[in-house]
Amino acid sequence: MSLRTWAWFTAKRLLADELPRRWAHTQGVARRATEIANALPREERQILVAAAWLHDIGYAEDLIDTGLHQLDGARFLRREGIPVRVCALVAHNSGAASIARLLNLSDALAAFTDERTPTRDALWYCDVTTSPDGLPISYEERFTELRSRREPEDPVIRALDLSEGERAAAVSRTEELLATALIRR
Ligand SMILES: [Fe+2]
């Protein structure tokens, strides 16, 4: 089974019945990743799409441990023997380091390296440009939506305040990459 197929199968098994809205969002993120993957070198495409399928599996009941879904998902993937880059992309997705600081989980998260590559930026981009229902959305709308359904003291919102610039930078670097790829085509 290819990595991409395993990732789809595993995300579906963990999310589809238990967390249908999260599954809808995941399908949207994976769809967006598949659409933009050609802007990346060939060897990166499967990594991006697999990480997109897997990026929110840490919300599944069976995987919850620390409560930082990125870290819980990444630890599960490491136990499953999934390539370390995919584990690390999931671990650091969408400003996880900022949330980890608030939850005193920085040391645990440090077991995974934030690679800060175009592939990592592209994963963050796909996540923040997909609504909770899996539909395309601008990242400005996504941030507004995130704030609207959580309390200001929620760690996700406090971390958002800390990481919004970093997320916006990842989005803008990916938009530049996509524009360049379109010009080349
Ligand atoms: Fe997500």
Side-chain angles (χ1 to χ4, degrees), residues 22 25-26 29 52 55-56 59 69 93-94 123 126-128 130-132 142:
R22 186 67 60 184
H25 164 75
T26 294
V29 174
H55 81 284
D56 271 349
Y59 282 111
H69 76 269
N93 185 45
S94 293
L123 179 63
C126 293
D127 194 18
V128 299
T130 303
S131 77
R142 179 80 164 120

Side-chain angles (χ1 to χ4, degrees), residues 4-185:
R4 188 190 294 228
T5 303
W6 185 89
W8 162 77
F9 181 81
T10 301
K12 186 169 189 288
R13 176 173 68 79
L14 290 167
L15 299 176
D17 292 338
E18 185 187 324
L19 299 167
R21 200 174 185 216
R22 186 67 60 184
W23 173 235
H25 164 75
T26 294
Q27 290 176 91
V29 174
R31 196 178 310 123
R32 189 71 186 125
T34 304
E35 285 166 3
I36 72 165
N38 282 351
L40 293 170
R42 182 172 297 277
E43 63 277 11
E44 294 297 301
R45 296 172 192 165
Q46 173 160 249
I47 299 281
L48 173 65
V49 175
W53 281 118
L54 297 166
H55 81 284
D56 271 349
I57 57 169
Y59 282 111
E61 179 95 34
D62 283 354
L63 270 55
I64 295 174
D65 177 21
T66 66
L68 179 60
H69 76 269
Q70 293 98 327
L71 179 59
D72 292 343
R75 284 175 163 180
F76 166 80
L77 294 170
R78 189 170 55 185
R79 290 195 297 274
E80 293 290 314
I82 295 308
V84 66
R85 282 193 59 209
V86 175
C87 302
L89 285 166
V90 169
H92 283 277
N93 185 45
S94 293
S98 299
I99 310 176
R101 271 196 293 279
L102 294 172
L103 299 175
N104 288 325
L105 288 169
S106 294
D107 289 349
L109 191 65
F112 302 93
T113 303
D114 183 3
E115 62 178 44
R116 297 173 187 271
T117 60
T119 303
R120 171 268 214 187
D121 287 346
L123 179 63
W124 290 34
Y125 167 86
C126 293
D127 194 18
V128 299
T129 57
T130 303
S131 77
D133 296 306
L135 301 172
I137 191 172
S138 74
Y139 85 94
E140 292 91 348
E141 288 173 301
R142 179 80 164 120
F143 289 153
T144 305
E145 180 278 324
L146 268 173
R147 289 182 194 285
S148 73
R149 67 186 158 97
R150 293 177 191 260
E151 298 300 319
E153 63 275 14
D154 185 308
V156 170
I157 299 304
R158 290 167 63 202
L160 191 60
D161 292 336
L162 297 172
S163 69
E164 197 163 338
E166 203 185 0
R167 291 196 203 196
V171 168
S172 103
R173 284 193 295 268
T174 303
E175 284 173 343
E176 272 175 42
L177 178 76
L178 295 179
T180 310
L182 279 175
I183 290 164
R184 271 206 224 105
R185 224 173 264 160

